[in-house]
Structure formats: structure tokens, C-alpha cells
Amino acid sequence: MVNHNSTSEIRALLETYGLSLKKRFGQNFLIDAGARRRIGATIHDELSRQSAEIGEVWEIGPGIGALTAELLALNRPVRLFEIDHGLIRVLRDQFGDSVAIEEGDFVRTVAAHERAAPAAIVGNLPYYSASSMVARIIESDLSVPVMVFLVQTELADRMEASVGGKDYSALSVLVQSHYTVTSAFHIGGAAFYPRPRVGSTVIVLRALPDRPSRSVSLRTSYIARRAFGQRRKTLRNTLRPYLAALEAEAIDPGLRPEQLTPAQFRGIACRVPENSPEELQ
Ligand code: SAM
């Protein structure tokens, strides 16, 4: 069993396998037992709110399994998505057949499970690709009632940002169109090896009851990205092809994107024809 609290034992383990930490994969292992337990308890609480006790728990970026041990205690099937083939050897030796493992970049390997319905997706996400992973999940056909992620506080702020705030962005619109976002707690740099330069936050995303269809979601996302791409300009300039949709939704084209709620972006998207060529750009 790996001692996840000891940096010297983690270093020794990596050495045994001939591995080194890869910065490009955002490898910052969670070495604080209290933080791991708290995340495990958060996931446990979220799952116990669900009516059916079925469905897999997916973990993105298990690393050497610091959080995986917490997930196995939930008595659910666990599926791991890990890009680092060296670490996968460590995971297989540690967990054997008690977990399913998907090797490769989550953003690609998830495609094989596009219509799955995991009970939850969790992970201490690699900072360099956390936002694209979250967007990939939301823009897929996956049906995920709850997600619990450990991310950079700056990203948590962007996902949670309210209309009008400086952090409010196309990502806020996408995430909040599908999920309520709650910052559960912060975790300091000393809880990680190696220690990151920025703070981290555990966020809980709970699915809204009236989530938009995939098609509306893609159009909402496209329109929000287009508007926020030039956030100082008014919608009259950035959403010129959609002015009729704005008018139908009684939205003033003199507004800037940060003044529109996720529901208003969705309203515009619903007025744009489904086969709009811009939809998937
Ligand atoms: N869960 C472990 C922990 O908490 O100690 C490790 C978390 S570490 C911040 C991020 C993990 O994500 C690393 O194991 C890294 O190799 C993996 N990773 C990075 N990019 C990935 C990707 N595109 N797809 C799947 N896993 C990825």
C-alpha cells in the first residue's frame, strides 16, 4: 500500500517504477490525509442524496491513487481515466481488478463512454486542462448528476462567477446552464507534492433539473464564447447574426456579455436555427 502522506515514500515509489513527476501533466499529488478524507466525505454526501444506489464513480487523473482509495470505500464501481502510462502500472499493481482503467487523454478516451450515466465524476484535476475537461463533459451526451473537483481557486471562481462580475465568462455561462456550482472548501499548497504556486478549491457541481439539450448547449456555448471573445464590445457588434434572436428575447443589443444571465444566453440559442452553421465552431 502506498503511503500517500509521505513525500519521501512517493519519491521512492516513483523511483522503483523508473518514473519522474511530469509537470506537463499537472501532477500535484494530494499528500494531506485530512484533505483526502474531506473530499471523500463530500462525494459520499453527494451520492447519498441520489435516489438510486447505482452507477459508476469516475475519477479523472488518479495519479498514484491518493483519492482512489477514498472512492473504493464508497462501494461503487470505480473507473479511472489516466494519461500517464507509467502511473497506470502503479495503479494496476495497487488496485488490480477492483477498478476499470482508461488509458490516455480523458478528453479523448471519454468518447468511448459518450452515452454513459456515471453516478459521479470526481478528480483532482490537472491545472493545465481542467477547464477543457469540464467543458468536454458538459458538452457531451453524458448524464452526470454530480461532479466534485479539486481545481485552482481561480478556475473555481470563474465557474461560480455571478453575472456582472470580473470572473464571469463563457465558461461560467456553460457550467451554470447545466449545474449549480458551490465552492465547498479551500486546500492550501502544503497539502500537495509538489507544492503548487496557487491555491486550490473543491467545487461541487449539481445537475439542474431542466438541463438544455446537447444541441442548445453547443449553440449557447458558441454564442457565449463569441460574445465574451470581445467582452468590451456590445452584443450589437459581437452577435450581429443573431440580432433578431436578441430582439425576440427582449434583450437590449447595447448590453455587454457580462450583463447577460446564462438563461438569457440560452434564450438566444433557442431562437437560433438548429442547423446554424456556426453551431459547432
Ligand atoms: N488524483 C491524484 C492526487 O490527487 O494525488 C493526482 C492528481 S494530479 C493533480 C492530476 C492527474 O491527472 C495526474 O495523475 C496526471 O497524470 C493526470 N492527467 C493529466 N492530464 C490528463 C488527461 N488529459 N487525461 C487523464 N489524466 C490526466
Side-chain angles (χ1 to χ4, degrees), residues 252-275:
D252 176 0
L255 295 177
R256 294 196 165 78
E258 66 268 24
Q259 294 173 289
L260 256 57
T261 63
Q264 285 175 306
F265 275 107
R266 179 173 168 176
I268 299 170
C270 287
R271 304 265 181 188
V272 172
E274 188 149 345
N275 56 1

Side-chain angles (χ1 to χ4, degrees), residues 25-30 61-63 82-83 105-106 124 126 128 133:
F25 290 154
Q27 292 175 349
N28 298 96
F29 299 142
L30 197 49
E82 174 57 59
I83 198 169
D105 180 354
F106 171 77
N124 169 12
Y128 77 97
M133 286 173 168

Side-chain angles (χ1 to χ4, degrees), residues 38-39 42-43 46 121-125 130-131 133-135 137-138 146-161 171 175-176 179-187 200-206:
R38 226 172 145 193
I39 294 172
T42 303
I43 299 163
E46 292 300 324
I121 304 184
V122 307
N124 169 12
L125 299 184
S131 61
M133 286 173 168
V134 173
I137 295 167
I138 295 178
V146 67
M147 303 199 269
V148 178
F149 293 132
L150 177 51
V151 294
Q152 281 193 358
T153 301
E154 174 261 338
L155 176 60
D157 290 346
R158 277 202 288 137
M159 287 198 254
E160 202 181 10
L171 182 70
V175 175
Q176 292 172 30
Y179 289 89
T180 60
V181 187
T182 312
S183 284
F185 51 93
H186 297 285
I187 296 184
S200 301
T201 297
V202 172
I203 48 157
V204 178
L205 310 184
R206 295 188 192 110

Side-chain angles (χ1 to χ4, degrees), residues 76-208:
R76 301 263 186 152
V78 172
R79 187 174 295 275
L80 310 176
F81 294 80
E82 174 57 59
I83 198 169
D84 187 327
H85 298 291
L87 295 184
I88 286 169
R89 283 191 283 131
V90 181
L91 292 166
R92 285 203 198 288
D93 286 350
Q94 206 181 156
F95 300 114
D97 291 336
S98 60
V99 295
I101 304 183
E102 306 292 336
E103 301 192 29
D105 180 354
F106 171 77
V107 170
R108 291 172 193 276
T109 54
V110 71
H113 303 273
E114 197 76 50
R115 292 183 189 282
I121 304 184
V122 307
N124 169 12
L125 299 184
Y127 73 93
Y128 77 97
S129 57
S131 61
S132 51
M133 286 173 168
V134 173
R136 175 75 177 85
I137 295 167
I138 295 178
E139 289 179 346
S140 74
D141 267 338
L142 287 168
S143 164
V144 196
V146 67
M147 303 199 269
V148 178
F149 293 132
L150 177 51
V151 294
Q152 281 193 358
T153 301
E154 174 261 338
L155 176 60
D157 290 346
R158 277 202 288 137
M159 287 198 254
E160 202 181 10
S162 309
V163 179
K166 70 172 175 34
D167 294 323
Y168 189 61
S169 65
L171 182 70
S172 327
V173 172
L174 174 68
V175 175
Q176 292 172 30
S177 297
H178 294 257
Y179 289 89
T180 60
V181 187
T182 312
S183 284
F185 51 93
H186 297 285
I187 296 184
F192 299 91
Y193 171 72
R195 190 183 177 134
R197 261 178 271 143
V198 293
S200 301
T201 297
V202 172
I203 48 157
V204 178
L205 310 184
R206 295 188 192 110
L208 293 168

Side-chain angles (χ1 to χ4, degrees), residues 15-87:
E15 211 175 299
T16 309
Y17 280 83
L19 303 172
S20 51
L21 282 166
K22 297 186 185 69
K23 211 174 167 189
R24 70 179 186 282
F25 290 154
Q27 292 175 349
N28 298 96
F29 299 142
L30 197 49
I31 55 168
D32 184 297
R36 291 197 301 271
R37 266 197 301 274
R38 226 172 145 193
I39 294 172
T42 303
I43 299 163
H44 177 270
D45 288 352
E46 292 300 324
L47 288 174
S48 49
R49 289 164 187 253
Q50 294 180 7
S51 49
E53 284 186 18
I54 52 163
E56 295 182 339
V57 174
W58 290 4
E59 183 184 2
I60 304 175
I64 53 171
L67 277 178
T68 314
E70 299 291 330
L71 302 184
L72 286 170
L74 299 168
N75 288 321
R76 301 263 186 152
V78 172
R79 187 174 295 275
L80 310 176
F81 294 80
E82 174 57 59
I83 198 169
D84 187 327
H85 298 291
L87 295 184

